[in-house]
């Protein structure tokens, strides 16, 4: 069972430093990080006054940040009731990963011939850095954020390979909620070794110029991660 207990008093003791140059942007980024890492719980009510106090800013940048997060789908605003952290359900995860699989398989096939040897070498370097984030069959706690960024970069090589800007923008629409799934995948699951093997197999398929092998391992990897994240949802009581 995932433990969502993380009291307000603990959050208030976190050292959050806001640079006065762009209060709204920084408030947005900090609150987004709190939501992505689930330091704010699913369905938790977020009042403007409370957020302003937490961030050390006035109500205006806090309210503007909440409006942006609502547009991203991370916060749900109920008129005359309040703003709440949007939960992610099993249905959401299924839909997100169905689309991810569709987009990445399409991109892998359409962009296969566009991937250069230099890009393959860059992917190999990313996968090597991923290995340093793993200890045993788990991701090292201090490397969670770094691994998530590396994972994003590796899969963006695939999505960007067809050089289709509309595909890239559409895929990016999954980004925020996909990152929440990545956070739980990295923090809660003990299958780092298998994930690393699959990432290495993805790059090897490019190196060996084997499109069918690439599509096979991509499907195995994405559906495997989906199934594990769905286990997280179930363990967390039905929402992330």
């Amino acid at each position: 069972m995932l433990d969502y207990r993380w009291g307000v008093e603990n959050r208030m003791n976190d050292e959050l430093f806001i640079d006065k140059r762009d209060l709204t942007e920084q408030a947005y980024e900090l609150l987004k990080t709190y939501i992505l890492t689930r330091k704010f719980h699913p369905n938790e009510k977020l009042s403007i006054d409370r957020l302003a106090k937490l961030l050390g800013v006035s109500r205006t940048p806090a309210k503007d940040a909440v409006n942006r997060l609502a547009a991203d789908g991370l916060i749900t605003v109920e008129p005359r009731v309040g703003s709440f952290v949007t939960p992610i359900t099993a249905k959401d995860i299924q839909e997100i990963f169905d689309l991810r699989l569709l987009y990445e398989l399409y991109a892998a096939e359409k962009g296969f011939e566009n991937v250069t040897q230099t890009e393959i070498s860059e992917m190999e370097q990313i996968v090597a850095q991923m290995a340093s984030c793993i200890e045993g069959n788990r991701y090292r706690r201090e490397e969670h954020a770094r691994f998530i960024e590396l994972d994003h970069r590796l899969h963006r090589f695939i999505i960007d390979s067809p050089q289709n800007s509309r595909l890239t923008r559409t895929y990016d629409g999954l980004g925020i909620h996909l990152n929440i799934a990545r956070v739980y995948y990295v923090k809660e699951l003990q299958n780092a070794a298998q994930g690393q093997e699959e990432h290495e197999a993805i790059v090897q398929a490019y190196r060996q110029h084997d499109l069918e092998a690439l599509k096979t391992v991509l499907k195995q990897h994405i559906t495997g991660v989906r199934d594990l994240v769905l286990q997280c949802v179930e363990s967390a009581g039905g929402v992330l």
Side-chain angles (χ1 to χ4, degrees):
M1 176 71 70
L2 298 181
D3 187 355
Y4 285 121
R5 291 172 298 176
W6 208 75
V8 172
E9 65 280 1
N10 290 331
R11 288 197 289 264
M12 295 298 291
N13 289 332
D14 275 9
E15 294 185 355
L16 297 181
F17 295 98
I18 294 285
D19 188 315
K20 302 302 182 184
R21 288 172 297 180
D22 192 342
L23 296 179
T24 297
E25 181 65 26
Q26 291 177 79
Y28 166 77
E29 291 296 337
L30 285 167
L31 293 178
K32 182 171 72 171
T33 297
Y34 267 38
I35 293 172
L36 290 177
T37 57
R38 280 333 200 208
K39 289 182 178 179
F40 289 144
H41 312 165
N43 293 312
E44 182 173 352
K45 187 173 184 178
L46 302 175
S47 73
I48 300 300
D49 287 339
R50 173 186 163 206
L51 295 178
K53 183 178 180 181
L54 174 64
L55 296 169
V57 300
S58 67
R59 285 175 49 86
T60 298
K63 184 175 182 180
D64 290 344
V66 166
N67 288 337
R68 286 184 61 183
L69 292 165
D72 290 339
L74 291 176
I75 286 178
T76 300
V77 178
E78 298 183 15
R80 296 183 294 279
V81 177
S83 301
F84 302 85
V85 177
T86 304
I88 296 182
T89 66
K91 183 174 184 292
D92 294 325
I93 294 297
Q94 187 69 57
E95 291 176 353
I96 289 166
F97 277 86
D98 282 352
L99 289 173
R100 180 185 178 188
L101 180 62
L102 179 69
Y103 296 155
E104 291 199 30
L105 286 178
Y106 174 85
E109 183 164 1
K110 289 296 183 181
F112 191 68
E113 299 297 335
N114 296 336
V115 178
T116 66
Q117 293 300 311
T118 298
E119 289 171 331
I120 294 171
S121 295
E122 290 179 27
M123 285 190 278
E124 287 173 335
Q125 292 173 15
I126 289 172
V127 171
Q129 292 176 60
M130 285 177 161
S132 69
C133 299
I134 296 171
E135 185 172 6
N137 204 28
R138 299 207 68 148
Y139 299 98
R140 294 163 56 198
R141 180 179 296 274
E142 66 273 18
E143 298 287 4
H144 285 172
R146 179 166 171 258
F147 176 85
I148 290 169
E149 173 61 24
L150 291 168
D151 185 59
H152 172 74
R153 286 172 56 194
L154 179 65
H155 286 274
R156 275 306 292 264
F157 269 107
I158 299 169
I159 287 296
D160 290 343
S161 63
Q163 301 170 11
N164 183 326
S165 60
R166 287 177 174 81
L167 172 64
T168 299
R169 286 197 300 271
T170 303
Y171 184 84
D172 285 345
L174 302 177
I176 289 177
H177 295 91
L178 187 56
N179 274 343
I180 294 176
R182 280 190 172 109
V183 167
Y184 278 89
Y185 172 75
V186 169
K187 289 175 62 177
E188 305 297 335
L189 302 174
Q190 299 186 43
N191 72 320
Q194 179 180 340
Q196 182 66 14
E197 288 176 4
E198 290 167 352
H199 285 136
E200 291 171 356
I202 288 170
V203 179
Q204 183 180 33
Y206 276 113
R207 181 63 76 188
Q208 295 180 348
H209 203 71
D210 190 337
L211 176 58
E212 290 308 311
L214 174 61
K215 290 163 64 177
T216 297
V217 71
L218 264 180
K219 183 175 182 179
Q220 175 184 332
H221 178 64
I222 293 171
T223 57
V225 172
R226 177 203 63 199
D227 292 344
L228 290 168
V229 175
L230 286 171
Q231 290 178 23
C232 281
V233 176
E234 183 179 358
S235 297
V239 296
L240 291 182

